[in-house]
Amino acid sequence: MLAPNDPSEDRMSMPRPGWRRGQRWLFAGVLVVLLCLLVANVIALTRHPQDRAEASSGPRRTLVEVSGSHCGKGWDAPAPGVQVFALHNTSAASAEVFLENPRSHVMYGEVEDIGPGTTRELTVRLGRGAYAFKCLPEDADAVTGPTVRIRKGRSGPAAAPVTTHDLIPPAIAYQKWVGEGLDKVARLAETLRDAVDRGDLGAARTAWLPAHLQYERMGAAYDAFGDADGRINGTDAGLPGGTHDKDFTGFHRVEFGLWHGQSAHELRAPAAALLKAVTALREDWAQTRMGPAQLGLRAHEILENTVQFELTGRTDFGSGSNLATARANVDGTSEVLSRLHPILARRYAHLPSLEGDLRDAGRTLDGLRDDGHWPPLERLSRTQRERVDARFGDLVEHLASVATLCDPRRTV
């Protein structure tokens, strides 16, 4: 507090240096705000009128009827841009709906399982071109609604639907490849069994990894393997006795014993059971038929499982070979994509990039090997781990598009 008659009182009416600095900052802040408002106004004025309308009122919404007799009824005022169609099923059966080009039949969007009396939304971006709704009622023929034309604008992505018929040739080719792979697994499993029988556990540890990796490369067929996959490549998850449970069998049971000090005597029965299960699967495979729809889905799931189980170490029972398994899974995914390439090349513009990313993932893993040996996950540096996780995370995301595109659709 200032004393009475203090000469400094005369300075109270003068601007203090601190006040001037505050004034300058206040002025600068106001100037920034004004500039931002000016830029925003310029952007708003230079936007396409359609974009300004969407920004102010949201996407155009249209109620469209789904039925055998009035498919597509209600879309009477076509316009370019983002559209939200409320698809209302007025029929007595569930229905699936496509929005397609009526001439080329490429699809811009679809909605499945619209129940009787229910409404589901479809959001798409439409531009210059011809469009029509195709309604596919359950247990009835497909019906195509009236053609609607838009004169300007750019549409969103579109792709021709894949049918079960399209997927049969690649499925047959892949099934043949799996049969050849099972022959190799059986031979390698026999080498493993023989090493255990001789009591040469060093040789058995050397033989275990090639046999396991050969099996892992056939990941797209696991669903077709049925219960045999659990006997061959199952883990102790859910077993009351864990790794000592009698139902813990296959590659990982042998792995656990080889890297946890079990004797050759203790491992003879598990190694023999593994060879028996692989041999039985190989013999049954000629009579097995893979569902064609599995290929696209498994192309995604192979690496999804890799991220979930291999790159977390959840399937390591002592060998420290998760990175080697991840590399085999990359090979398995590449094999599936090679079979699907003719289908995807006409439908997925990012296929070359995806295939390049898959090769890069393989090279990333290969670069982690030290003198031909795969390090366990815990020996990776943080940078190495982040690089691997990023590679595989991106791949899983992109492979989801493959699964979606290769989901077979009914078209008639």
Side-chain angles (χ1 to χ4, degrees), residues 25-47:
W25 283 113
L26 177 62
F27 178 76
V30 172
L31 181 60
V32 169
V33 170
L34 290 175
L35 285 173
C36 289
L37 291 173
L38 178 62
V39 171
N41 287 332
V42 170
I43 292 174
L45 290 172
T46 55
R47 273 183 177 175

Side-chain angles (χ1 to χ4, degrees), residues 4-69:
N5 300 319
D6 190 320
S8 63
E9 282 186 321
D10 296 334
R11 295 195 298 268
M12 291 295 291
S13 61
M14 299 294 293
R16 293 188 299 274
W19 186 89
R20 287 198 299 269
R21 287 195 297 268
Q23 187 182 44
R24 285 196 298 269
W25 283 113
L26 177 62
F27 178 76
V30 172
L31 181 60
V32 169
V33 170
L34 290 175
L35 285 173
C36 289
L37 291 173
L38 178 62
V39 171
N41 287 332
V42 170
I43 292 174
L45 290 172
T46 55
R47 273 183 177 175
H48 191 281
Q50 171 193 322
D51 293 334
R52 294 204 301 271
E54 288 178 8
S56 61
S57 61
R60 178 186 293 266
R61 302 179 64 85
T62 305
L63 180 65
V64 174
E65 183 174 340
V66 176
S67 69
S69 57

Side-chain angles (χ1 to χ4, degrees), residues 209 213 324 365-375:
L209 186 58
L213 296 185
L365 292 177
D366 291 339
L368 300 174
R369 298 181 73 178
D370 183 13
D371 195 25
H373 298 286
W374 291 98

Side-chain angles (χ1 to χ4, degrees), residues 194-271:
D194 291 346
V196 172
D197 285 349
R198 294 194 310 271
D200 189 347
L201 296 187
R205 281 188 285 270
T206 300
W208 181 87
L209 186 58
H212 184 239
L213 296 185
Q214 180 60 42
Y215 184 82
E216 285 283 348
R217 291 186 182 97
M218 300 181 294
Y222 287 172
D223 190 61
F225 289 166
D227 293 341
D229 180 55
R231 292 190 291 271
I232 294 170
N233 206 34
T235 69
D236 64 338
L239 299 179
T243 54
H244 299 287
D245 196 287
K246 64 179 178 60
D247 291 326
F248 181 37
T249 62
F251 278 112
H252 292 302
R253 167 64 185 90
V254 176
E255 176 190 9
F256 177 80
L258 285 172
W259 275 273
H260 285 85
Q262 290 189 343
S263 67
H265 175 73
E266 292 174 290
L267 285 170
R268 283 193 180 100

Side-chain angles (χ1 to χ4, degrees), residues 105-130:
H105 301 294
V106 298
M107 292 169 42
Y108 296 89
E110 66 173 330
V111 178
E112 299 177 337
D113 300 324
I114 307 176
T118 63
T119 302
R120 300 272 300 279
E121 289 189 347
L122 170 65
T123 303
V124 292
R125 175 177 286 278
L126 303 180
R128 182 176 181 178

